[in-house]
Amino acid sequence: MAALTIDDVIAALTAIIDDCRARGSRLGYFPALYRRVTQAVKDGAAAGQFQNGPLLEKLDIAFANRYLDAYNTYQAGGQPTRSWAVAFAAARHQLPLIVQQLLVGISAHINLDLGIATAAIAPGDQLPGIRTDFDQTNGVLASLVGVVERELAEVSPGIGRLEALGLRTETRIINFDLDIARQLAWTRAGQLAATPAAELDGAIDRLDLEVAAFNELVAHPGLAIEAALAPIRIEESNDVRRVIDVLAAPPLAVGA
């Protein structure tokens, strides 16, 4: 059943987190992080920090429902979008770093879901009216990687060496560039908003293929990079419940 309110989204994410924590499943990493984003956006809307709170809430719900639908489909043995299938598959492997598993989920959600949800909520000439709130909401999600990276030192003590390996800059980690993802999400929203209804499914399918291919590079960046990351991975905690608890820390403030 689709979430109808932000509180529904938070409740659904909490149920997933609790289930994954009980099972010791890495599938709980992304929703633990995502719940923090959702709570921060809810708090910001309640404080009047967005230009159009009701429209933003509709976008946030539509955006979240794409993840919830993909997760529930996967858990039921169905086929989610290819982008999410790659992200979920990464949770079954021991090799990717915790931050890689987070990034591949963020990639699926920003690079695929955000443009689709935005175009659906603000189609055609309504799209420019949501740009400011889109940027602020998207910024909350994108800003989390740096914040969580510092927090993850507790369970991934070698994560700071990414920069020394040339695999991290201010916005780029491994193969994922946050600034580019944010810019592309808006561009894709504009393209989808202008796509005729009869052609929309095909356009989304092509985008899904593109994002899925990119996600493979994030999760499995090649032997040379994986070898460089291996010492960091060896130092990481394998206590999935502990990692989930770190990621599910109190929510961040909007614009953090």
Side-chain angles (χ1 to χ4, degrees), residues 148-232:
V148 172
E149 183 179 327
R150 291 192 293 273
E151 297 175 349
L152 281 178
E154 178 183 341
V155 289
S156 182
I159 197 169
R161 295 204 298 274
L162 284 174
E163 191 158 2
L165 293 170
L167 298 173
R168 190 200 188 291
T169 63
E170 185 176 351
T171 62
R172 180 182 180 276
I173 299 178
I174 308 176
N175 288 318
F176 186 72
D177 190 303
L178 299 174
D179 283 345
I180 291 176
R182 294 168 66 186
Q183 294 163 12
L184 282 177
W186 180 256
T187 299
R188 286 159 173 162
Q191 293 168 342
L192 293 172
T195 300
E199 301 173 15
L200 190 58
D201 286 347
I204 290 173
D205 190 61
R206 290 190 293 274
L207 176 59
D208 187 26
L209 280 169
E210 176 186 337
V211 176
F214 174 75
N215 282 1
E216 286 285 0
L217 288 176
V218 175
H220 309 289
L223 291 178
I225 293 178
E226 289 170 2
L229 296 176
I232 300 175

Side-chain angles (χ1 to χ4, degrees), residues 234-250:
I234 290 171
E235 295 178 9
E236 284 193 337
S237 172
N238 289 312
D239 185 341
V240 174
R241 294 175 180 84
R242 183 182 174 205
V243 176
I244 289 175
D245 288 343
V246 169
L247 293 171

Side-chain angles (χ1 to χ4, degrees), residues 87-100:
F88 296 146
R92 299 199 306 265
H93 297 286
Q94 298 290 328
L95 189 58
L97 302 179
I98 297 167
V99 72
Q100 283 175 274

Side-chain angles (χ1 to χ4, degrees), residues 13-29 31 67 71-72 74-76 88 91-92 94 238-242 244:
L13 292 172
T14 298
I16 293 173
I17 294 163
D18 290 346
D19 176 64
C20 290
R21 192 182 186 285
R23 295 187 290 111
S25 170
R26 289 178 172 81
L27 288 172
Y29 292 176
Y67 161 71
Y71 179 84
N72 290 330
Y74 179 78
Q75 288 298 95
F88 296 146
R92 299 199 306 265
Q94 298 290 328
N238 289 312
D239 185 341
V240 174
R241 294 175 180 84
R242 183 182 174 205
I244 289 175

